[in-house]
C-alpha cells in the first residue's frame, strides 16, 4: 500500500477486485477486503481495515444490501470515495435487479451479462480519477467484456443442453436467482424464479428451520431432482441435512461432491468461478437424474 504512483483501489469482494485489476492493469494496485472464504454478508471491520480505507483512492463495493455488517456498512455509506456498483446498475437498469419480498437480491455477479455493467462502471470511475489513463482503460474493458460475453454464451449453452425438465437447482443460500434467470430458464420464461430454491435466505445465517428443509425436499421431489449443491464457503451440513431428511422420506438425494461458488471465489478468477458453476451444475443435473 506504499505510494508508488499507482491508483490504489480497495474492493470489498473478490468478484469486484478481479474486474478492477483486469481493467486497471499496470496503472492500479487492487486490494480485496473480504478475501478467501469469508462471508461478505456478515463481514465486520477488523484491525488494519481502517488504514486500507484511508489509503485507497477509490473504494468499490457491491451494495444492494450485500455488505451489511454494521461497522463495514456504516463506513461504506459515509466514505465519499466509496462507490456502490450494484446501485449504479440499479440506476441504469432497475428492471434487471431482482427483489425478494421487497428486499434487493445483491448477488448480481451471478449473471455475467449483468456484471458487464459493473465493468463499465469501474472503467468510468477510473477514467474520472485518471483521465490520462482513459484510453488504456477503454482498451482493457473492451477486451474484458469480450471474454465476459464468451463466458456468458458458454454458460448458457452448457446449461441449455440439460433437458428443461431437469434444470432445477437447490443450493445452500439464495445466491442463485440471477443465475437461474440467466442460465437455467428457457428464453423469455416468466417462471424463472421457480427454477431455484435454497433453505437459507439472501444471507446465510446458519438458521435452518424444518419448514425450509421441507420446502426444499418438496421442490426436489416435484421436479424429480436427485442432487443438492453445497457452496464453497458455507458448511455442507446445510445441504447434507436436506439430503438425509429426503432419504428418510424415501426419496434418494445426494450431495454433489464439487462445490458451487456463490459469495466466494475461493481463489479462482471471476470467469473461472462462473464457468465452474455452469459445468458442475450441468454435469450433475444430468448425471443425477
Ligand atoms: Zn450471498
Amino acid at each position: 500500500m506504499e505510494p508508488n504512483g499507482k491508483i490504489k483501489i480497495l474492493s470489498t469482494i473478490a468478484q469486484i477486485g478481479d474486474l478492477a485489476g483486469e481493467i486497471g492493469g499496470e496503472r492500479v494496485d487492487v486490494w480485496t477486503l473480504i478475501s478467501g472464504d469469508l462471508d461478505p454478508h456478515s463481514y465486520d471491520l477488523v484491525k488494519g481495515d481502517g488504514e486500507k480505507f484511508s489509503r485507497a483512492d477509490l473504494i468499490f463495493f457491491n451494495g444492494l444490501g450485500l455488505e451489511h455488517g454494521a461497522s463495514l456498512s456504516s463506513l461504506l455509506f459515509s466514505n465519499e470515495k466509496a462507490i456502490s456498483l450494484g446501485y449504479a446498475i440499479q440506476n441504469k437498469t432497475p428492471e434487471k435487479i431482482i427483489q425478494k419480498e421487497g428486499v434487493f437480491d445483491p448477488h448480481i455477479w451471478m449473471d455475467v451479462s449483468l456484471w458487464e455493467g459493473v465493468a463499465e462502471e469501474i472503467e468510468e470511475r477510473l477514467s474520472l480519477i485518471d483521465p490520462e489513463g482513459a484510453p488504456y482503460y477503454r482498451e482493457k474493458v473492451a477486451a474484458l467484456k469480450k471474454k465476459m460475453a464468451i463466458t456468458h454464451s458458454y454458460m448458457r449453452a452448457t446449461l441449455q443442453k440439460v433437458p428443461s425438465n431437469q434444470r432445477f437447482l437447490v443450493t445452500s443460500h439464495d445466491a442463485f436467482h440471477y443465475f437461474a434467470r440467466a442460465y437455467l430458464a428457457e428464453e423469455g420464461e416468466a417462471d424463472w424464479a421457480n427454477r431455484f430454491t435454497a433453505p437459507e435466505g439472501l444471507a446465510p445465517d446458519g438458521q435452518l428451520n424444518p419448514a425450509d428443509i421441507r420446502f426444499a425436499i418438496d421442490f426436489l421431489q416435484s421436479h424429480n431432482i436427485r442432487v443438492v449443491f453445497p457452496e464453497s464457503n458455507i458448511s455442507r451440513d446445510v445441504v447434507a441435512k436436506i439430503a438425509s431428511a429426503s432419504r428418510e422420506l424415501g426419496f434418494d438425494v445426494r450431495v454433489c461432491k464439487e462445490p458451487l461458488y456463490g459469495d466466494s471465489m475461493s481463489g479462482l478468477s471471476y470467469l473461472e468461478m462462473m464457468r465452474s458453476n455452469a459445468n458442475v451444475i450441468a454435469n450433475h443435473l444430468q448425471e443425477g437424474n
Side-chain angles (χ1 to χ4, degrees), residues 58-80:
L58 267 176
I59 299 157
F60 289 128
F61 68 109
N62 190 81
L64 298 172
L66 179 72
E67 302 94 338
H68 71 188
S71 60
L72 174 58
S73 159
S74 66
L75 188 52
L76 288 170
F77 284 99
S78 62
N79 191 312
E80 56 186 25

Side-chain angles (χ1 to χ4, degrees), residues 12-30:
T12 52
I13 56 173
Q15 292 90 323
I16 294 172
D18 190 19
L19 263 55
E22 288 258 343
I23 298 162
E26 62 202 26
R27 299 181 77 86
V28 306
D29 282 332
V30 181

Side-chain angles (χ1 to χ4, degrees), residues 249-274:
L249 295 167
F251 186 77
D252 273 352
V253 170
R254 65 193 171 82
V255 177
C256 180
K257 285 200 175 67
E258 299 166 86
L260 300 183
Y261 302 98
D263 292 342
S264 160
M265 315 208 302
S266 304
L268 299 181
S269 75
Y270 168 66
L271 292 179
E272 284 168 351
M273 149 193 173
M274 294 305 290

Side-chain angles (χ1 to χ4, degrees), residues 41 66 107 173 175 202 204 263:
H41 296 277
L66 179 72
H107 303 91
H173 90 295
L202 287 171
D263 292 342

Side-chain angles (χ1 to χ4, degrees), residues 24 28 31-33 53 55 63 77 89-90 94 103 109 120 131 146 161 171 203 212 216 222 231 259 263 274 288:
V28 306
W31 293 280
T32 295
L33 189 69
F53 273 82
R55 290 206 179 198
F77 284 99
I89 298 293
Q90 193 218 356
V103 178
W109 59 88
E120 289 166 5
K146 225 175 253 175
K161 280 183 203 146
T171 69
D212 293 333
S222 65
E231 293 171 40
D263 292 342
M274 294 305 290

Side-chain angles (χ1 to χ4, degrees), residues 13 19-20 34 55 79 87 108 117 125 143 172 181 183 190 200 224 241 259 266 270 275:
I13 56 173
L19 263 55
I34 308 165
R55 290 206 179 198
N79 191 312
Y87 288 116
I108 52 174
R125 295 295 179 159
S172 315
R181 185 176 66 183
Y183 306 112
E200 295 196 75
N224 195 30
K241 237 173 233 170
S266 304
Y270 168 66
R275 271 177 184 261

Side-chain angles (χ1 to χ4, degrees), residues 32-52:
T32 295
L33 189 69
I34 308 165
S35 56
D37 280 336
L38 295 171
D39 172 20
H41 296 277
S42 61
Y43 185 86
D44 263 313
L45 297 177
V46 295
K47 200 166 169 250
D49 284 352
E51 197 188 346
K52 292 177 189 163

